[in-house]
Amino acid sequence: MPAETQTELDIAVEGRRNFAIISHPDAGKTTLTEKLLLYGGAIHQAGAVKARRAQRQATSDWMQMEQQRGISITSTVLQFAYQDFQINLLDTPGHQDFSEDTYRTLAAADNAVMLIDAAKGLEPQTRKLFEVCRMRSLPIFTFINKLDRPGREPLELLDEIESELNLQTYAVNWPIGMGDTFQGVYDRRKKQVHLFERRSHGSQTAKDTVIDLDDPKLEEILDPDLYLQLQEDIEILEEIGSDLDLESIHAGQMTPVFFGSAMTNFGVELFLDAFLDYSLKPEGRISSEGKVEPTYPDFSGFVFKLQANMDPKHRDRVAFIRVCTGKFEKDMTVTHARTGKTVRLSRPQKLFARDRSSIEEAYAGDVIGLNNPGVFAIGDTIYQGKRIEYEGIPCFSPEMFAYLKNPNPSKFKQFQKGIKELQEEGAVQIMYSADDFKRDPILAAVGQLQFEVVQFRLQNEYGVETKLEPLPYSVARWVAGGWEALEKAGRLFNTFVVKDSWGRPVLLFRNSWNLQQAKSDCPDLVLNSTAPVGSGIQPGK
């Protein structure tokens, strides 16, 4: 490889940062996303999730149902430049019903930001998503939000993170007051106090007064009680707190902690500045050829998300590609690892929620959008040069099942098209009865909200009204060894046999007791709670 090309790749990788935000619903994730975009200069006025008429809608919540309900129900990618860095922000749904979409997005992330409500501390969905981050050894940055409201003591919140998540903490900044008395934060990196001026809804960047900790003016400006409390807290942190260890952060064993209020912009810019210093640049990824570094000269990437109808006028389908190695260039020809076919990558797009713009090139760490004419599946690898295939993304066991029926035969084509495209997306798992006479698709979901989203989108995007017929099952297991192994096992009681979108056998059980009964009746039958990956090498192999 020419030295100039190697230098170009080295510089590009050094200047890229990529992260996903994880949180429990209502912790303020979409609000934080908006404020990061505001400080990054990507938008000029931040929107609120439940926007008033005078406010603009949140950029990341572009789907109509998201705007109606004030929640994030699909992951989005937002790319923007900040200082000398190109940042790829992967916004994920917080609602547990969409945890599989979040898992897929985390597979494309190099870092994670864990957002915590200062009043509630660690919540169930945050814990679940944290475990996914830990499985991937992602560096985790913690932003404790809503300090402008009454909350728990900061030291108590740090202790909860350390004891419950077994994760060392390092407070990068420290709050001055809380709720009505919240006046700003102390930046431990520069030993400076940042006092903020409150702005209506934080739609614009906050005015920031910076004072050195040892400046005599500080004692005059701050309330006496707040000043004394700050001095005590700093002393405690220096005495008993951990030292900052960048290696531990990059290994996912220590989390830098930031305090602030996304709604009023307190601490957001400080967080962004420190994140660029401490976060992990794009790293090598596990593949069929072992670990491949991002500066490997040949282009490669993998599909972690598919999305239909981002532009309702054109009924498009977009594949989200994480660039893993080399340099992507418009109109390049690549090999599709799963099929062996060559594909020309025309009309590549820079993604910014629903908005897109044409790009000419991209590097490791970037996420690009490609038109998907039915070629790509989640987990697919594309590459140039020597064959390479990255780890696939497994499906998890759904817990709710229902037949999806189309009561209007004249809408058959639209119904079939909608089901096909939503299935490709992974918005919900779709299965079919092993009995070929029963042709209605079976929706398989983690939660009820997934069903509602599918029905809403079929109506809104494809003009098809549908009905659900719930099925009395709560456990799904994939049969290792496929149909041959199932046939050898003989007759199974209290079991419904279906096939997934790849045609593989899946057993549905009413409850875990029926599952255990099947295992004891057929001890040689191996059942898995996650599906074999549809494309890509099996993780851990």
Side-chain angles (χ1 to χ4, degrees):
M1 179 172 59
E4 314 88 73
T5 306
Q6 184 65 64
T7 302
E8 180 187 356
L9 293 178
D10 289 342
I11 292 171
V13 170
E14 285 290 340
R16 273 160 172 76
R17 293 295 184 271
N18 168 315
F19 68 94
I21 304 180
I22 62 169
S23 76
H24 195 84
D26 297 326
K29 180 170 54 61
T30 301
T31 304
L32 177 62
T33 299
E34 288 286 305
K35 302 313 171 69
L36 291 170
L37 298 178
L38 179 67
Y39 278 96
I43 57 176
H44 300 295
Q45 186 175 351
V49 183
K50 294 182 179 175
R52 300 184 177 191
R53 287 186 181 181
Q55 293 174 325
R56 52 180 295 285
Q57 291 281 3
T59 305
S60 54
D61 288 344
W62 57 268
M63 195 181 284
Q64 186 178 342
M65 191 172 181
E66 294 178 308
Q67 294 172 357
Q68 288 176 358
R69 297 200 179 199
I71 58 170
S72 298
I73 59 177
T74 183
S75 57
T76 54
V77 177
L78 302 135
Q79 296 173 314
F80 61 97
Y82 181 70
Q83 295 180 6
D84 296 325
F85 290 86
Q86 183 72 24
I87 297 175
N88 290 265
L89 191 166
L90 300 121
D91 183 40
T92 63
H95 200 288
Q96 64 178 8
D97 288 10
F98 305 103
S99 51
E100 199 157 316
D101 193 18
T102 299
Y103 180 88
R104 292 192 288 260
T105 302
L106 287 171
D110 300 309
N111 304 275
V113 174
M114 179 169 67
L115 186 64
I116 294 174
D117 185 322
K120 297 174 181 175
L122 292 174
E123 296 179 85
Q125 186 64 3
T126 314
R127 289 185 178 91
K128 284 183 185 176
L129 294 172
F130 167 78
E131 290 304 328
V132 175
C133 294
R134 173 156 275 172
M135 281 163 54
R136 300 199 57 246
S137 300
L138 285 179
I140 295 169
F141 295 77
T142 301
F143 190 92
I144 296 179
N145 194 25
K146 302 188 181 181
L147 267 291
D148 57 316
R149 304 179 187 180
R152 291 163 58 184
E153 287 296 322
L155 285 170
E156 183 187 335
L157 291 165
L158 294 188
D159 184 61
E160 182 177 54
I161 293 169
E162 294 205 347
S163 59
E164 294 200 21
L165 301 183
N166 192 26
L167 185 64
Q168 273 191 298
T169 62
Y170 178 84
V172 181
N173 63 25
W174 198 254
I176 302 168
M178 187 176 287
D180 291 340
T181 65
F182 182 53
Q183 293 191 16
V185 295
Y186 166 60
D187 179 9
R188 294 180 70 196
R189 299 198 311 158
K190 296 182 178 178
K191 298 191 184 305
Q192 291 176 328
V193 169
H194 290 249
L195 301 175
F196 300 97
E197 180 185 306
R198 290 175 184 261
R199 285 190 169 238
S200 177
H201 301 289
S203 60
Q204 297 175 344
T205 56
K207 284 189 176 178
D208 185 353
T209 303
V210 183
I211 304 173
D212 290 337
L213 183 65
D214 56 7
D215 190 325
K217 289 181 185 174
L218 183 62
E219 193 169 358
E220 296 170 19
I221 295 170
L222 282 181
D223 175 89
D225 290 341
L226 288 179
Y227 180 78
L228 286 173
Q229 184 68 52
L230 176 62
Q231 298 296 333
E232 285 178 22
D233 288 347
I234 291 171
E235 198 175 320
I236 291 170
L237 287 174
E238 297 301 333
E239 283 184 12
I240 65 169
S242 304
D243 292 329
L244 183 72
D245 182 344
L246 213 51
E247 280 189 21
S248 294
I249 292 171
H250 290 172
Q253 296 163 356
M254 171 181 276
T255 179
V257 180
F258 304 81
F259 292 87
S261 163
M263 182 59 76
T264 56
N265 300 342
F266 291 1
V268 175
E269 189 174 24
L270 283 171
F271 162 74
L272 195 50
D273 289 341
F275 172 80
L276 294 179
D277 288 342
Y278 298 154
S279 56
L280 206 56
K281 65 183 181 183
E283 290 276 282
R285 301 185 78 87
I286 302 301
S287 76
S288 54
E289 297 298 310
K291 190 174 184 180
V292 188
E293 296 302 326
T295 51
Y296 179 74
D298 292 327
F299 163 79
S300 68
F302 73 93
V303 180
F304 69 92
K305 178 179 172 63
L306 299 173
Q307 183 73 52
N309 303 325
M310 287 181 75
D311 182 351
K313 293 176 184 174
H314 297 101
R315 288 284 181 256
D316 60 347
R317 286 186 285 172
V318 176
F320 289 60
I321 310 287
R322 156 66 195 243
V323 180
C324 296
T325 64
K327 179 181 179 180
F328 168 87
E329 293 181 287
K330 183 181 178 182
D331 290 326
M332 73 191 313
T333 300
V334 299
T335 304
H336 185 247
R338 176 167 54 86
T339 62
K341 294 179 180 177
T342 55
V343 183
R344 184 166 171 253
L345 304 182
S346 57
R347 296 178 61 200
Q349 300 156 348
K350 174 184 174 180
L351 298 158
F352 192 76
R354 173 183 270 168
D355 298 331
R356 285 166 283 165
S357 56
S358 182
I359 59 167
E360 299 294 322
E361 59 188 34
Y363 297 88
D366 286 339
V367 173
I368 58 174
L370 295 173
N371 287 328
N372 176 32
V375 173
F376 299 118
I378 289 169
D380 277 353
T381 298
I382 53 176
Y383 66 92
Q384 276 194 326
K386 185 180 179 183
R387 187 184 189 281
I388 193 172
E389 193 162 17
Y390 292 106
E391 289 184 336
I393 303 174
C395 295
F396 295 97
S397 180
E399 298 169 11
M400 300 181 72
F401 305 87
Y403 277 119
L404 184 69
K405 294 183 176 288
N406 170 28
N408 188 348
S410 67
K411 296 280 188 179
F412 178 75
K413 282 187 178 179
Q414 295 96 314
F415 178 73
Q416 290 296 105
K417 183 184 180 188
I419 288 298
K420 180 176 182 292
E421 292 184 0
L422 293 180
Q423 176 178 300
E424 286 175 356
E425 243 185 65
V428 68
Q429 290 184 51
I430 296 177
M431 301 177 177
Y432 290 88
S433 171
D435 181 347
D436 290 334
F437 289 102
K438 295 179 180 177
R439 297 192 174 182
D440 289 322
I442 299 168
L443 300 188
V446 174
Q448 179 66 31
L449 196 51
Q450 281 181 282
F451 289 162
E452 293 175 27
V453 169
V454 168
Q455 287 191 286
F456 177 88
R457 291 186 63 189
L458 284 170
Q459 172 80 61
N460 196 51
E461 297 170 21
Y462 300 91
V464 179
E465 190 176 336
T466 55
K467 291 183 179 179
L468 283 178
E469 186 181 295
L471 288 165
Y473 305 102
S474 65
V475 180
R477 290 295 182 267
W478 279 263
V479 179
W483 294 102
E484 189 180 340
L486 186 60
E487 201 172 316
K488 279 184 184 176
R491 190 176 177 189
L492 293 168
F493 296 95
N494 299 316
T495 306
F496 183 31
V497 181
V498 299
K499 52 190 175 184
D500 69 6
S501 56
W502 297 86
R504 302 172 300 205
V506 185
L507 304 183
L508 304 188
F509 301 93
R510 289 176 182 267
N511 49 46
S512 54
W513 189 86
N514 287 149
L515 169 62
Q516 293 306 321
Q517 185 182 38
K519 284 182 175 179
S520 60
D521 289 347
C522 306
D524 294 335
L525 189 64
V526 180
L527 302 176
N528 296 318
S529 58
T530 57
V533 293
S535 47
I537 59 171
Q538 195 76 25
K541 295 289 175 74

Short mmCIF file of all heavy atoms in Angstrom, two decimals, residues 392-432:
data_model
loop_
_atom_site.label_atom_id
_atom_site.label_comp_id
_atom_site.label_asym_id
_atom_site.label_seq_id
_atom_site.Cartn_x
_atom_site.Cartn_y
_atom_site.Cartn_z
N GLY A 392 -21.99 -12.18 12.72
CA GLY A 392 -23.39 -11.87 12.45
C GLY A 392 -24.09 -11.35 13.70
O GLY A 392 -23.50 -11.26 14.77
N ILE A 393 -25.36 -11.02 13.55
CA ILE A 393 -26.14 -10.48 14.66
C ILE A 393 -27.32 -11.42 14.92
O ILE A 393 -28.20 -11.58 14.06
CB ILE A 393 -26.65 -9.06 14.33
CG1 ILE A 393 -25.46 -8.15 14.00
CG2 ILE A 393 -27.45 -8.49 15.49
CD1 ILE A 393 -25.85 -6.77 13.51
N PRO A 394 -27.35 -12.09 16.07
CA PRO A 394 -28.40 -13.07 16.33
C PRO A 394 -29.75 -12.43 16.64
O PRO A 394 -29.82 -11.27 17.04
CB PRO A 394 -27.87 -13.83 17.55
CG PRO A 394 -27.00 -12.84 18.27
CD PRO A 394 -26.39 -11.98 17.20
N CYS A 395 -30.83 -13.20 16.44
CA CYS A 395 -32.17 -12.79 16.89
C CYS A 395 -32.40 -13.38 18.28
O CYS A 395 -31.93 -14.49 18.57
CB CYS A 395 -33.25 -13.33 15.95
SG CYS A 395 -33.17 -12.66 14.29
N PHE A 396 -33.13 -12.67 19.11
CA PHE A 396 -33.40 -13.15 20.46
C PHE A 396 -34.80 -13.73 20.56
O PHE A 396 -35.66 -13.49 19.71
CB PHE A 396 -33.21 -12.02 21.46
CG PHE A 396 -31.78 -11.56 21.54
CD1 PHE A 396 -31.37 -10.45 20.81
CD2 PHE A 396 -30.85 -12.23 22.29
CE1 PHE A 396 -30.04 -10.02 20.84
CE2 PHE A 396 -29.53 -11.82 22.33
CZ PHE A 396 -29.12 -10.72 21.62
N SER A 397 -35.02 -14.47 21.62
CA SER A 397 -36.30 -15.15 21.79
C SER A 397 -37.44 -14.17 22.05
O SER A 397 -37.40 -13.43 23.03
CB SER A 397 -36.21 -16.14 22.96
OG SER A 397 -37.45 -16.80 23.12
N PRO A 398 -38.44 -14.13 21.18
CA PRO A 398 -39.60 -13.28 21.43
C PRO A 398 -40.48 -13.88 22.53
O PRO A 398 -40.34 -15.05 22.89
CB PRO A 398 -40.33 -13.26 20.08
CG PRO A 398 -39.87 -14.49 19.37
CD PRO A 398 -38.53 -14.85 19.91
N GLU A 399 -41.40 -13.07 23.03
CA GLU A 399 -42.24 -13.52 24.16
C GLU A 399 -43.73 -13.36 23.87
O GLU A 399 -44.56 -13.76 24.67
CB GLU A 399 -41.87 -12.74 25.42
CG GLU A 399 -40.42 -12.98 25.85
CD GLU A 399 -39.96 -12.01 26.93
OE1 GLU A 399 -40.82 -11.29 27.49
OE2 GLU A 399 -38.76 -11.97 27.21
N MET A 400 -44.06 -12.72 22.75
CA MET A 400 -45.47 -12.54 22.38
C MET A 400 -45.65 -12.92 20.91
O MET A 400 -44.78 -12.63 20.08
CB MET A 400 -45.89 -11.08 22.59
CG MET A 400 -45.76 -10.59 24.01
SD MET A 400 -46.31 -8.88 24.20
CE MET A 400 -48.08 -9.08 24.01
N PHE A 401 -46.78 -13.56 20.61
CA PHE A 401 -47.01 -14.07 19.26
C PHE A 401 -48.45 -13.81 18.85
O PHE A 401 -49.37 -13.90 19.68
CB PHE A 401 -46.73 -15.58 19.21
CG PHE A 401 -45.35 -15.95 19.70
CD1 PHE A 401 -45.13 -16.17 21.07
CD2 PHE A 401 -44.28 -16.04 18.83
CE1 PHE A 401 -43.86 -16.49 21.54
CE2 PHE A 401 -43.01 -16.36 19.30
CZ PHE A 401 -42.80 -16.58 20.65
N ALA A 402 -48.66 -13.50 17.58
CA ALA A 402 -50.02 -13.27 17.08
C ALA A 402 -50.05 -13.43 15.57
O ALA A 402 -49.12 -13.01 14.87
CB ALA A 402 -50.50 -11.87 17.47
N TYR A 403 -51.12 -14.04 15.08
CA TYR A 403 -51.36 -14.05 13.63
C TYR A 403 -51.69 -12.64 13.20
O TYR A 403 -52.44 -11.92 13.87
CB TYR A 403 -52.53 -14.97 13.28
CG TYR A 403 -52.19 -16.44 13.16
CD1 TYR A 403 -52.78 -17.39 14.01
CD2 TYR A 403 -51.29 -16.89 12.18
CE1 TYR A 403 -52.48 -18.74 13.90
CE2 TYR A 403 -50.99 -18.24 12.06
CZ TYR A 403 -51.57 -19.15 12.93
OH TYR A 403 -51.27 -20.49 12.82
N LEU A 404 -51.14 -12.22 12.07
CA LEU A 404 -51.47 -10.92 11.49
C LEU A 404 -52.35 -11.17 10.27
O LEU A 404 -51.91 -11.81 9.31
CB LEU A 404 -50.20 -10.16 11.08
CG LEU A 404 -50.42 -8.75 10.54
CD1 LEU A 404 -50.90 -7.81 11.65
CD2 LEU A 404 -49.15 -8.21 9.91
N LYS A 405 -53.57 -10.67 10.32
CA LYS A 405 -54.53 -10.97 9.26
C LYS A 405 -54.87 -9.72 8.45
O LYS A 405 -54.97 -8.62 8.99
CB LYS A 405 -55.81 -11.56 9.87
CG LYS A 405 -55.54 -12.93 10.52
CD LYS A 405 -56.81 -13.56 11.05
CE LYS A 405 -56.54 -14.95 11.60
NZ LYS A 405 -56.27 -15.94 10.56
N ASN A 406 -55.02 -9.94 7.16
CA ASN A 406 -55.42 -8.88 6.23
C ASN A 406 -56.88 -9.11 5.86
O ASN A 406 -57.20 -9.99 5.06
CB ASN A 406 -54.53 -8.94 4.98
CG ASN A 406 -55.03 -8.04 3.87
OD1 ASN A 406 -55.69 -7.04 4.14
ND2 ASN A 406 -54.73 -8.41 2.63
N PRO A 407 -57.80 -8.30 6.44
CA PRO A 407 -59.22 -8.55 6.18
C PRO A 407 -59.70 -8.07 4.81
O PRO A 407 -60.83 -8.32 4.43
CB PRO A 407 -59.91 -7.75 7.30
CG PRO A 407 -58.95 -6.66 7.65
CD PRO A 407 -57.57 -7.20 7.38
N ASN A 408 -58.82 -7.38 4.07
CA ASN A 408 -59.22 -6.82 2.78
C ASN A 408 -58.42 -7.48 1.65
O ASN A 408 -57.28 -7.11 1.38
CB ASN A 408 -58.98 -5.31 2.79
CG ASN A 408 -59.55 -4.63 1.55
OD1 ASN A 408 -59.92 -5.29 0.58
ND2 ASN A 408 -59.60 -3.31 1.59
N PRO A 409 -59.01 -8.47 0.95
CA PRO A 409 -58.28 -9.19 -0.11
C PRO A 409 -57.74 -8.28 -1.22
O PRO A 409 -56.71 -8.59 -1.84
CB PRO A 409 -59.34 -10.16 -0.67
CG PRO A 409 -60.35 -10.30 0.43
CD PRO A 409 -60.37 -8.98 1.15
N SER A 410 -58.40 -7.15 -1.47
CA SER A 410 -57.93 -6.25 -2.54
C SER A 410 -56.59 -5.60 -2.19
O SER A 410 -55.93 -5.03 -3.05
CB SER A 410 -58.99 -5.17 -2.82
OG SER A 410 -59.10 -4.30 -1.71
N LYS A 411 -56.20 -5.67 -0.91
CA LYS A 411 -54.93 -5.08 -0.47
C LYS A 411 -53.84 -6.15 -0.32
O LYS A 411 -52.83 -5.92 0.35
CB LYS A 411 -55.13 -4.38 0.90
CG LYS A 411 -56.08 -3.21 0.87
CD LYS A 411 -55.40 -1.96 0.33
CE LYS A 411 -56.29 -0.73 0.48
NZ LYS A 411 -55.64 0.49 -0.02
N PHE A 412 -54.04 -7.30 -0.97
CA PHE A 412 -53.10 -8.43 -0.77
C PHE A 412 -51.66 -8.05 -1.14
O PHE A 412 -50.73 -8.34 -0.40
CB PHE A 412 -53.56 -9.63 -1.61
CG PHE A 412 -52.64 -10.81 -1.52
CD1 PHE A 412 -52.61 -11.62 -0.39
CD2 PHE A 412 -51.76 -11.12 -2.57
CE1 PHE A 412 -51.75 -12.70 -0.30
CE2 PHE A 412 -50.89 -12.19 -2.49
CZ PHE A 412 -50.90 -12.99 -1.35
N LYS A 413 -51.49 -7.39 -2.30
CA LYS A 413 -50.12 -7.06 -2.75
C LYS A 413 -49.44 -6.09 -1.79
O LYS A 413 -48.27 -6.24 -1.45
CB LYS A 413 -50.16 -6.44 -4.15
CG LYS A 413 -50.33 -7.47 -5.25
CD LYS A 413 -50.18 -6.83 -6.62
CE LYS A 413 -50.29 -7.88 -7.73
NZ LYS A 413 -50.17 -7.27 -9.07
N GLN A 414 -50.18 -5.06 -1.35
CA GLN A 414 -49.61 -4.09 -0.40
C GLN A 414 -49.27 -4.76 0.92
O GLN A 414 -48.24 -4.46 1.54
CB GLN A 414 -50.60 -2.94 -0.15
CG GLN A 414 -50.88 -2.08 -1.37
CD GLN A 414 -52.15 -2.52 -2.09
OE1 GLN A 414 -52.36 -3.71 -2.33
NE2 GLN A 414 -52.99 -1.55 -2.45
N PHE A 415 -50.14 -5.68 1.35
CA PHE A 415 -49.91 -6.42 2.59
C PHE A 415 -48.63 -7.24 2.51
O PHE A 415 -47.77 -7.19 3.40
CB PHE A 415 -51.12 -7.32 2.87
CG PHE A 415 -51.00 -8.18 4.10
CD1 PHE A 415 -51.10 -7.62 5.37
CD2 PHE A 415 -50.78 -9.55 4.00
CE1 PHE A 415 -50.99 -8.42 6.51
CE2 PHE A 415 -50.67 -10.35 5.12
CZ PHE A 415 -50.77 -9.78 6.38
N GLN A 416 -48.48 -7.97 1.40
CA GLN A 416 -47.29 -8.81 1.21
C GLN A 416 -46.01 -7.96 1.15
O GLN A 416 -44.99 -8.31 1.73
CB GLN A 416 -47.42 -9.63 -0.08
CG GLN A 416 -48.47 -10.72 -0.01
CD GLN A 416 -48.14 -11.78 1.01
OE1 GLN A 416 -48.73 -11.84 2.08
NE2 GLN A 416 -47.16 -12.62 0.70
N LYS A 417 -46.10 -6.83 0.44
CA LYS A 417 -44.93 -5.97 0.32
C LYS A 417 -44.55 -5.39 1.69
O LYS A 417 -43.37 -5.37 2.06
CB LYS A 417 -45.23 -4.83 -0.66
CG LYS A 417 -44.02 -3.91 -0.88
CD LYS A 417 -44.34 -2.73 -1.78
CE LYS A 417 -43.09 -1.88 -1.97
NZ LYS A 417 -43.36 -0.63 -2.68
N GLY A 418 -45.55 -4.93 2.44
CA GLY A 418 -45.29 -4.36 3.76
C GLY A 418 -44.65 -5.38 4.70
O GLY A 418 -43.67 -5.08 5.40
N ILE A 419 -45.20 -6.60 4.70
CA ILE A 419 -44.66 -7.66 5.57
C ILE A 419 -43.22 -7.97 5.18
O ILE A 419 -42.33 -8.09 6.04
CB ILE A 419 -45.53 -8.94 5.45
CG1 ILE A 419 -46.87 -8.72 6.14
CG2 ILE A 419 -44.82 -10.13 6.07
CD1 ILE A 419 -46.80 -8.44 7.62
N LYS A 420 -42.95 -8.07 3.89
CA LYS A 420 -41.60 -8.40 3.41
C LYS A 420 -40.60 -7.33 3.85
O LYS A 420 -39.52 -7.65 4.36
CB LYS A 420 -41.61 -8.54 1.89
CG LYS A 420 -40.26 -8.89 1.27
CD LYS A 420 -40.40 -9.09 -0.23
CE LYS A 420 -39.07 -9.49 -0.87
NZ LYS A 420 -38.08 -8.40 -0.85
N GLU A 421 -40.96 -6.06 3.68
CA GLU A 421 -40.02 -4.99 3.98
C GLU A 421 -39.83 -4.80 5.49
O GLU A 421 -38.72 -4.54 5.95
CB GLU A 421 -40.49 -3.69 3.30
CG GLU A 421 -40.37 -3.80 1.78
CD GLU A 421 -40.73 -2.51 1.06
OE1 GLU A 421 -41.08 -1.52 1.73
OE2 GLU A 421 -40.67 -2.51 -0.19
N LEU A 422 -40.89 -4.94 6.27
CA LEU A 422 -40.75 -4.82 7.72
C LEU A 422 -40.00 -6.01 8.30
O LEU A 422 -39.30 -5.90 9.31
CB LEU A 422 -42.13 -4.68 8.38
CG LEU A 422 -42.88 -3.37 8.05
CD1 LEU A 422 -44.23 -3.33 8.75
CD2 LEU A 422 -42.06 -2.15 8.45
N GLN A 423 -40.14 -7.16 7.65
CA GLN A 423 -39.38 -8.35 8.07
C GLN A 423 -37.89 -8.14 7.82
O GLN A 423 -37.06 -8.45 8.67
CB GLN A 423 -39.87 -9.57 7.29
CG GLN A 423 -39.09 -10.85 7.56
CD GLN A 423 -39.67 -12.02 6.79
OE1 GLN A 423 -40.83 -12.36 6.96
NE2 GLN A 423 -38.88 -12.61 5.91
N GLU A 424 -37.54 -7.61 6.65
CA GLU A 424 -36.14 -7.32 6.34
C GLU A 424 -35.54 -6.36 7.36
O GLU A 424 -34.40 -6.49 7.77
CB GLU A 424 -36.03 -6.68 4.94
CG GLU A 424 -36.22 -7.63 3.79
CD GLU A 424 -36.23 -6.90 2.46
OE1 GLU A 424 -36.16 -5.65 2.46
OE2 GLU A 424 -36.31 -7.57 1.41
N GLU A 425 -36.33 -5.39 7.77
CA GLU A 425 -35.90 -4.36 8.72
C GLU A 425 -35.59 -4.93 10.08
O GLU A 425 -34.80 -4.36 10.84
CB GLU A 425 -37.06 -3.37 8.89
CG GLU A 425 -36.75 -1.99 8.44
CD GLU A 425 -37.91 -1.07 8.76
OE1 GLU A 425 -38.20 -0.86 9.94
OE2 GLU A 425 -38.51 -0.55 7.81
N GLY A 426 -36.28 -6.01 10.46
CA GLY A 426 -36.13 -6.52 11.81
C GLY A 426 -36.99 -5.75 12.81
O GLY A 426 -36.74 -5.78 14.00
N ALA A 427 -38.01 -5.00 12.29
CA ALA A 427 -38.90 -4.27 13.18
C ALA A 427 -39.62 -5.23 14.12
O ALA A 427 -39.96 -4.90 15.25
CB ALA A 427 -39.93 -3.48 12.36
N VAL A 428 -39.82 -6.44 13.64
CA VAL A 428 -40.44 -7.51 14.42
C VAL A 428 -40.01 -8.81 13.76
O VAL A 428 -39.67 -8.83 12.57
CB VAL A 428 -41.99 -7.34 14.41
CG1 VAL A 428 -42.54 -7.59 13.02
CG2 VAL A 428 -42.67 -8.23 15.43
N GLN A 429 -39.94 -9.89 14.50
CA GLN A 429 -39.66 -11.19 13.86
C GLN A 429 -40.96 -11.71 13.25
O GLN A 429 -42.03 -11.55 13.84
CB GLN A 429 -39.11 -12.18 14.89
CG GLN A 429 -37.71 -11.83 15.37
CD GLN A 429 -37.16 -12.88 16.31
OE1 GLN A 429 -37.17 -14.07 16.00
NE2 GLN A 429 -36.67 -12.45 17.46
N ILE A 430 -40.84 -12.30 12.08
CA ILE A 430 -42.02 -12.84 11.40
C ILE A 430 -41.80 -14.32 11.13
O ILE A 430 -40.77 -14.72 10.59
CB ILE A 430 -42.32 -12.06 10.11
CG1 ILE A 430 -42.68 -10.61 10.47
CG2 ILE A 430 -43.44 -12.72 9.32
CD1 ILE A 430 -42.93 -9.70 9.30
N MET A 431 -42.75 -15.11 11.56
CA MET A 431 -42.68 -16.57 11.41
C MET A 431 -43.93 -17.05 10.68
O MET A 431 -44.88 -16.29 10.50
CB MET A 431 -42.56 -17.23 12.79
CG MET A 431 -41.33 -16.77 13.56
SD MET A 431 -41.23 -17.49 15.23
CE MET A 431 -39.66 -16.81 15.78
N TYR A 432 -43.89 -18.31 10.28
CA TYR A 432 -45.05 -18.91 9.60
C TYR A 432 -45.27 -20.30 10.16
O TYR A 432 -44.33 -20.98 10.58
CB TYR A 432 -44.81 -18.99 8.09
CG TYR A 432 -44.81 -17.64 7.41
CD1 TYR A 432 -43.65 -16.89 7.32
CD2 TYR A 432 -45.99 -17.10 6.89
CE1 TYR A 432 -43.65 -15.63 6.71
CE2 TYR A 432 -46.00 -15.85 6.28
CZ TYR A 432 -44.84 -15.12 6.20
OH TYR A 432 -44.85 -13.88 5.62
#
